[in-house]
Amino acid sequence: MADKTRSQKLKRLVAVQRHLEQMAEFDLAETSRQRVEVNEQMDSVILALGSMDPVHHAFSQGYADRFNRLGIKDKQLTGMQQIHEMRVVQERAKGDRLEEGMREALESERREADDNAVYDLIDQKFGTPASSKLQKS
C-alpha cells in the first residue's frame, strides 16, 4: 500500500470526488423533481380556485391557505436548488483539479521512467566496456 505512486493515490481521490459530484447531482435532481411536483400542485389549486363549481367555492379558503403553503415550500426548494447547484459546481471543480493533478503526476512518472530507461541504456552501452577492461587488467 505504501508503494503506490502519487498518480495512483490521486486517481483514487478523483474517483471519490466524482462520487461526491454524483451525489450532489442526485440531490439537485431530487430537489428539481420536488419543485416540479409543488408547481403542479400549485397549478391544481389555482384551477380549483378559478373553478365555477360550487363545491370548490365552499373550500376556497382552504385552497388559498394551501396555495400559500405551497408557495412557501417552492421558495424553500428554490433556495435548496441554488445551494445544490453551487455544490455540484464546487464538487466538479474539485474533481477537475484533482484529475489535472493526477495527469501531471502521471506525466512526471512517465518522464522519470523514460529518463531511467535512458540512463539504463547509457549504463549498458558505456558501463559494460569499462567493466570488461577492468577485468582484463
Side-chain angles (χ1 to χ4, degrees):
M1 190 75 132
D3 60 345
K4 285 197 174 210
T5 63
R6 184 171 186 267
S7 65
Q8 290 172 327
K9 292 175 185 176
L10 285 170
K11 183 178 181 179
R12 181 162 165 77
L13 285 174
V14 168
V16 169
Q17 188 60 43
R18 293 302 181 200
H19 184 71
L20 289 173
E21 180 182 336
Q22 287 177 340
M23 290 171 52
E25 288 172 347
F26 176 78
D27 290 343
L28 176 60
E30 179 62 22
T31 302
S32 296
R33 186 199 61 76
Q34 289 177 2
R35 280 197 67 211
V36 167
E37 191 176 289
V38 166
N39 286 321
E40 288 172 354
Q41 290 175 6
M42 289 173 76
D43 290 344
S44 296
V45 171
I46 288 172
L47 288 174
L49 278 170
S51 173
M52 293 300 186
D53 190 343
V55 173
H56 290 297
H57 288 290
F59 298 107
S60 63
Q61 185 58 46
Y63 290 148
D65 291 342
R66 174 132 175 88
F67 186 79
N68 286 335
R69 286 192 306 273
L70 288 170
I72 291 169
K73 187 171 184 176
D74 185 52
K75 286 180 185 176
Q76 290 172 339
L77 288 172
T78 300
M80 286 176 56
Q81 185 175 8
Q82 290 171 344
I83 290 169
H84 291 310
E85 287 169 351
M86 289 187 306
R87 191 171 136 225
V88 166
V89 169
Q90 288 173 341
E91 299 296 345
R92 187 169 292 139
K94 287 178 189 176
D96 291 346
R97 282 192 307 270
L98 283 170
E99 195 166 350
E100 182 62 31
M102 179 194 70
R103 286 187 186 128
E104 289 173 2
L106 191 58
E107 182 61 32
S108 174
E109 291 164 6
R110 285 181 183 151
R111 274 193 309 258
E112 183 179 348
D114 290 346
D115 289 349
N116 288 338
V118 169
Y119 292 141
D120 288 344
L121 284 174
I122 292 171
D123 285 346
Q124 288 175 0
K125 179 72 174 172
F126 298 108
T128 308
S131 62
S132 63
K133 288 181 182 177
L134 290 173
Q135 291 175 354
K136 290 180 181 176
S137 309

